[in-house]
């Protein structure tokens, strides 16, 4: 079984709809991250969480919110989806340690299309 | 602030040929450098990372990278590629500070042709 899972894997929705993307991990890591990937732009950090009570904005948090329901679960919400949020979304985890050197472990991604 | 520039968006090569994927970085503090690989329809996985010590870093699948501080580069190399190395490769940098932030380059698509 995969260590980091994301649901759904694919989603098509309409402008204005509320969408939640879910991430679960069995690695026992404290730190979790949400990124979006756009062609030619690489990965950009949306939000990150160092533990259940710690949530931080990344470089492109506008239009998104997150919830850390438990150590193993980190959800990303789009309150009112818009077409330029069409992208591939990745969840990642890392261990608590020397923060700058942690390896991040990625889920398989969720492909979101907003019409 | 930190940034990463991957100089080639696409690199086509023939099987068994050598390959170099170029990465330059900028950071105002000490850097930690990473290469991740993304195979088609999969998430990213770590190939290798430079933290300190020897500037030549060996990773999985026969890849290696060399940290060059004077040229602010961290190029990825493999002496002989296989069809299965076809993937997108991302260079990333972490520059320190109390909060972890990994900055990715835009990626290089390596296509290995028979």
């Amino acid at each position: 079984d995969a260590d980091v899972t994301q649901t759904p894997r694919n989603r098509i929705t309409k402008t204005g709809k509320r969408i939640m993307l879910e991430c679960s991990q069995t690695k026992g890591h404290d730190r979790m991250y949400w990124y979006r990937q756009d062609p030619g732009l690489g990965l950009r950090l949306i939000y990150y969480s160092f533990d259940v009570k710690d949530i931080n904005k990344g470089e492109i948090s506008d239009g998104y919110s997150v919830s850390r329901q438990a150590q193993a679960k980190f959800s990303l919400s789009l309150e009112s989806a818009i077409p330029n949020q069409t992208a591939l979304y990745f969840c990642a985890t890392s261990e608590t340690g020397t923060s700058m050197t942690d390896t991040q472990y990625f889920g398989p991604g969720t492909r979101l299309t907003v019409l | 602030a930190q940034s990463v520039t991957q100089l080639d968006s696409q690199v086509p090569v023939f099987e068994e040929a050598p390959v170099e994927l170029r990465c330059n970085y900028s950071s105002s503090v000490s850097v930690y450098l990473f290469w991740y690989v993304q195979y088609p329809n999969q998430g990213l996985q770590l190939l290798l990372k430079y933290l300190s010590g020897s500037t030549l870093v060996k990773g999985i699948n026969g890849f290696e990278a060399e940290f060059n501080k004077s040229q602010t580069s961290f190029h990825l190399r493999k002496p002989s590629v296989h069809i299965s190395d076809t993937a997108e490769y991302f260079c990333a940098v972490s520059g320190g500070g109390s909060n972890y932030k990994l900055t990715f380059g835009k990626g290089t698509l390596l296509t290995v042709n028979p």
Side-chain angles (χ1 to χ4, degrees):
Chain A
D1 287 341
D3 295 318
V4 184
T5 57
Q6 294 183 233
T7 56
R9 294 293 312 278
N10 288 282
R11 182 71 184 268
I12 300 173
T13 191
K14 295 182 179 180
T15 297
K17 294 291 187 181
R18 184 178 187 274
I19 295 296
M20 178 180 286
L21 309 183
E22 299 186 343
C23 176
S24 295
Q25 54 113 346
T26 58
K27 297 187 76 67
H29 291 169
D30 287 327
R31 299 179 176 181
M32 300 186 73
Y33 311 81
W34 275 105
Y35 293 90
R36 65 176 278 175
Q37 182 182 22
D38 298 278
L41 295 181
L43 278 76
R44 293 179 290 168
L45 184 63
I46 307 173
Y47 270 95
Y48 60 103
S49 169
F50 281 359
D51 64 41
V52 174
K53 297 181 180 179
D54 179 78
I55 303 288
N56 304 280
K57 292 183 177 181
E59 58 183 305
I60 54 163
S61 58
D62 287 348
Y64 301 95
S65 62
V66 291
S67 172
R68 185 81 183 267
Q69 301 95 322
Q71 185 204 36
K73 297 184 182 295
F74 192 36
S75 299
L76 176 71
S77 293
L78 288 67
E79 296 300 326
S80 180
I82 56 177
N84 76 1
Q85 291 177 313
T86 293
L88 188 54
Y89 290 85
F90 286 104
C91 174
T93 73
S94 67
E95 295 182 90
T96 301
T98 304
S99 60
M100 297 79 72
T101 65
D102 291 345
T103 297
Q104 293 191 9
Y105 297 87
F106 286 78
T110 294
R111 186 168 297 281
L112 176 66
T113 303
V114 183
L115 302 176
Chain B
Q2 57 198 36
S3 66
V4 175
T5 301
Q6 291 185 243
L7 298 162
D8 305 293
S9 60
Q10 297 185 53
V11 174
V13 295
F14 288 108
E15 194 173 18
E16 298 183 3
V19 70
E20 178 179 80
L21 306 183
R22 298 179 293 168
C23 172
N24 287 94
Y25 68 90
S26 67
S27 175
S28 58
V29 296
S30 298
V31 294
Y32 304 93
L33 294 154
F34 306 77
W35 275 100
Y36 281 83
V37 60
Q38 183 181 26
Y39 296 106
N41 300 312
Q42 295 186 28
L44 282 72
Q45 64 181 88
L46 183 70
L47 266 181
L48 49 81
K49 61 182 177 181
Y50 171 78
L51 306 180
S52 64
S54 173
T55 57
L56 184 63
V57 181
K58 294 188 183 297
I60 61 172
N61 300 337
F63 284 93
E64 63 181 31
E66 186 159 17
F67 171 61
N68 188 319
K69 187 174 182 180
S70 63
Q71 297 187 4
T72 61
S73 68
F74 190 55
H75 300 333
L76 181 70
R77 301 185 182 99
K78 186 170 182 178
S80 176
V81 295
H82 302 289
I83 298 285
S84 59
D85 292 322
T86 294
E88 190 151 26
Y89 292 79
F90 293 93
C91 182
V93 62
S94 175
S98 58
N99 290 318
Y100 178 79
K101 183 175 183 293
L102 194 60
T103 300
F104 285 87
K106 296 181 178 181
T108 297
L109 178 62
L110 173 65
T111 303
V112 182
N113 298 300

